[in-house]
Amino acid sequence: MNVQTGENTAGSPTPLPKAPDAIELRHLRAFVTVAEELNFGRAATRLYVSQPALSRQIRGLERLVGCDLLRRTTHRVELTLAGEALLDRARRILDDVDEAVSATRAVGGELLARIAQYWEPFGDPDPELGVLRTAYEDLHAQFPPPPEVTVRPANAGGVPSLLVRTEQPNDTTVLYLHGGGYIAGSAFGYRSLAGALTVAANSSTLIPDYRLAPEHPFPAAVDDAVSAYRWLLDTGVEAENITLAGDSVGAHLTISVLLRLREEQLPQPASVVLLCPGIDLHCGTLDAQLPDAQPGKVSGAHFHRRIVPDYLAGHRDDDPIVAPLLADLTGLPPLLIQASTGDSHLTDAHQLLDHAQAHGVRARLELYPVETHNFHLFWSFLPEAADALEQAGKFIREQAGRARVRSSA
């Protein structure tokens, strides 16, 4: 076959057309996964997508290549001859791409080194609280909010807060609960990350400056966040237009708030976004997975171990409102959980996903190949963080639209 010139010389077969440019890696990855599992349900679970979305990707690939790759019956999935011909080749393509990306990341390791530098101040085994808080604010101060947003102060039901907005926001308001282990962090420091999420969702975002431990232990942070939520409702923002979001321990606080809203019979928000959730306050998974000697992977293990004595201050740690994995999550809104593959709290994310789905909550987990916790903080220079926030913004917009349709039905 002469594929160099495209000319049909005497005695040579007519060359077949090139593969369509529209074939994407996700199509090939979807096909290979289904072919390996021969089951759409298991393949969808492996890829963290819905079965309908997986089916659309397979059908899209079949349309692009022009033939059936799988035979589907009620109980079975089988490869066609064409599918068998594609499978090994598709595997090689994916392996080559993965190897190329790994090599590129190895060469471009300066990004991880840069992130490790940002976390370096949190390596002190016994940091003084004031020094720790200053270091956390200094970290955030290096990343200004995106130019597309404006920031102004707000008194949200007695809770000092910041309101971040795009120039022409949609009807959605994000209530963003910042991380910092319940002992550090501020609304001012989180203007950058919350601002990036605001741009991705084209929303307004309220960042409560909730009270910190140990001066104000549990339930002060929960009380403040619920007060801010009530304020949004009182100012005319419909629950169907609210998304709760939080990073690290802010994600833990988000779940506590949802449970409190249910207790007080307040309407649930349209959706929830949890960025690198730190659900295990005892940090048992952190201890088991990553030694402190890995500076790129640990965002201050000692920092996190202060949470239980400082935040709970003697409150029982099996109370479901502070132990989400012991709580009944029935009735919670759809959850988007994002974490990195090198996240020191990755097990927390998996456990929360399983626990939420076991209680009938629509939840999905998105993983990103980054070797640090709370990678979203570095959205201004880390491509994976920017991509993750873009996906989170899309999720917020989609869920808000669905909630409004349900409300008007």
Side-chain angles (χ1 to χ4, degrees), residues 218-219 252 256 263 281-282 308-309 311-324 326-327:
F218 174 83
H252 178 276
S256 295
E263 283 181 4
L281 293 188
H282 287 280
V308 171
Y311 177 60
L312 294 186
H315 185 82
R316 63 187 183 92
D317 59 6
D318 61 348
D319 180 354
I321 203 166
V322 297
L326 299 179

Side-chain angles (χ1 to χ4, degrees), residues 3-257:
V3 295
Q4 301 297 320
T5 65
E7 299 173 355
N8 185 20
T9 56
S12 299
T14 302
L16 292 173
K18 293 181 179 180
D21 290 338
I23 291 179
E24 300 179 13
L25 288 177
R26 63 190 177 96
H27 293 135
L28 295 179
R29 211 174 288 280
F31 165 69
V32 169
T33 306
V34 173
E36 290 174 346
E37 295 288 349
L38 292 179
N39 180 287
F40 272 81
R42 290 195 297 269
T45 299
R46 273 179 58 182
L47 295 173
Y48 297 106
V49 299
S50 67
Q51 289 192 49
L54 185 61
S55 295
R56 287 194 296 272
Q57 290 180 15
I58 297 295
R59 291 195 186 97
L61 179 60
E62 289 176 329
R63 284 195 299 271
L64 289 168
V65 300
C67 55
D68 291 337
L69 302 172
L70 299 168
R71 274 188 218 94
R72 308 162 181 83
T73 65
T74 305
H75 303 291
R76 300 182 64 181
V77 176
E78 296 178 343
L79 282 169
T80 65
L81 289 176
E84 290 177 357
L86 176 62
L87 180 57
D88 285 340
R89 294 170 173 83
R91 279 194 181 116
R92 289 198 294 272
I93 290 170
L94 293 174
D95 288 343
D96 287 345
V97 170
D98 290 341
E99 182 180 348
V101 170
S102 295
T104 301
R105 287 193 177 119
V107 173
E110 66 272 9
L111 290 184
L112 183 58
R114 182 177 176 184
I115 291 171
Q117 283 183 334
Y118 287 125
W119 287 130
E120 189 174 350
F122 302 94
D124 187 342
D126 189 22
E128 194 271 326
L129 182 59
V131 173
L132 189 151
R133 286 175 173 171
T134 299
Y136 203 57
E137 291 301 310
D138 288 346
L139 186 157
H140 287 275
Q142 298 176 72
F143 310 114
E148 299 95 327
V149 301
T150 59
V151 182
R152 67 174 179 83
N155 185 333
V159 181
S161 307
L162 290 179
L163 187 61
V164 184
R165 298 181 51 150
T166 57
E167 185 176 352
Q168 292 183 316
N170 54 34
D171 293 335
T172 301
T173 297
V174 177
L175 179 60
Y176 193 91
L177 304 177
H178 69 76
Y182 286 118
I183 60 176
S186 68
F188 185 82
Y190 267 82
R191 293 169 303 146
S192 175
L193 177 52
L197 183 60
T198 301
V199 172
N202 191 30
S203 66
S204 300
T205 298
L206 183 71
I207 320 171
D209 214 7
Y210 62 82
R211 289 169 290 171
L212 300 177
E215 298 91 338
H216 304 283
F218 174 83
V222 180
D223 291 343
D224 287 353
V226 171
S227 293
Y229 186 87
R230 283 182 176 275
W231 179 79
L232 288 175
L233 297 178
D234 291 343
T235 55
V237 181
E238 301 289 342
E240 67 203 33
N241 290 327
I242 300 176
T243 290
L244 251 61
D247 66 288
S248 193
V249 161
H252 178 276
L253 177 57
T254 298
I255 301 296
S256 295
V257 169

